[in-house]
Amino acid sequence: MSKENLLDAIIAQTKLSKKQTTKQRKIVETAVKLFAEKGYANTSTSEIAKSAQVAEGTIFRHYGTKDNLLLSVILPFIKDALPAMAEATFSEIMIKNAACFEDFLKALIKNRLLFIKENKEIFQVVVKELLYNDELRKELQPYFFENIMQHISKVITMFKERGELIDIPSDTLLNMIFNVVGSYFVSRFVLQFAYSDMDEEAEVENLVRFIMDGIRKPSQGM
C-alpha cells in the first residue's frame, strides 16, 4: 500500500470510466500516462494534445489548466478509492504495530511518507489547491474525515483507554497530531524547506518523540 503509484491506478480506472466523451477519455489517459512517464512538471499541455491527437485548445476548453486536468482525474479517484485504501492501510499498520501508540504513530508516518514520495507531484497539486480553493476543501473534507480521521480517532481512543495517552478528548489529540504531521509533510514536499543532513529515519524518530512528549500520559511515579 505504501508504495502504490496513484497514476498507475488512475490509468486503470480511467479506461473503465463511462462518464466522459471519447475525446475526453483520450486526453485524460494520455495526460496521466505522460505524467507517469515524464513527471507532472515536465509534461506540457502541448505534448498532451499532440499525443492525444487533439488541439491544445480542446484541452483548455474542457479543463482550463494543467492543474485542473490533473484534479479532474484525481478527485473522482479519491472519492471512489479512498475508503478501500484507508481500510487496507490501517489494517496493515494495526496488525503489525498495535503494541503501543508510539509504534503505531511511527508506522503510520513512515507508511504515508513512502506513499507521498511515490506520489509527490500529485500531493503538491492537491495540497496547493486545498490551500486556496474553499469549494474543493469543502468537497473533500467529508471523505478525509470519514475514511482517515475517524480511523485515527478510534486508534487514539483505544490507546487512551489503555492508559498510554493523556486524558483529553480524542478529537483534540487527533488535531494536535494532524497539525504536526501535516505541517511536516507540507513543509517537506510542498514548500520544500531545506532539512538538516540527518537521515529520514532520524527525522521520523524526532517527529514521533516530539509528538509523544506532548500526549503521553505521565507515569504514576512522576
Side-chain angles (χ1 to χ4, degrees), residues 72-208:
S72 73
V73 293
I74 291 174
L75 298 185
F77 179 81
I78 288 175
K79 292 177 181 179
D80 290 343
L82 189 60
M85 290 168 63
E87 188 64 41
T89 298
F90 281 97
S91 296
E92 175 187 334
I93 293 173
M94 285 301 295
I95 288 171
K96 298 178 181 177
N97 303 277
C100 64
F101 186 75
E102 184 170 349
D103 287 345
F104 165 80
L105 181 61
K106 190 181 302 181
L108 179 63
I109 293 173
K110 287 181 176 179
N111 181 284
R112 293 300 84 189
L113 186 59
L114 286 173
F115 181 79
I116 293 172
K117 285 168 66 177
E118 182 73 15
N119 301 281
K120 180 180 175 181
E121 291 178 318
I122 291 179
F123 180 74
Q124 289 172 338
V125 172
V126 172
V127 169
K128 287 176 182 176
E129 285 296 318
L130 287 173
L131 288 174
Y132 298 109
N133 190 327
D134 289 340
E135 186 175 335
L136 177 65
R137 191 160 57 247
K138 290 176 182 178
E139 183 179 355
L140 287 182
Q141 198 170 36
Y143 290 91
F144 283 106
F145 178 77
E146 291 171 13
N147 296 291
I148 297 176
M149 306 301 270
Q150 282 193 347
H151 273 289
I152 302 176
S153 184
K154 289 178 182 177
V155 175
I156 288 172
T157 298
M158 180 183 76
F159 283 106
K160 192 170 66 171
E161 289 173 351
R162 292 185 185 180
E164 289 191 26
L165 307 178
I166 56 177
D167 189 20
I168 61 176
S170 296
D171 287 348
T172 302
L173 287 171
L174 174 61
N175 286 334
M176 292 165 61
I177 294 167
F178 180 79
N179 287 339
V180 174
V181 177
S183 296
Y184 168 71
F185 287 146
V186 170
S187 65
R188 198 178 198 279
F189 294 105
V190 180
L191 301 177
Q192 301 188 62
F193 288 158
Y195 274 75
S196 66
D197 293 333
M198 74 174 63
D199 60 31
E200 198 171 87
E201 186 76 20
E203 282 184 8
V204 174
E205 289 287 344
N206 286 342
L207 184 63
V208 170

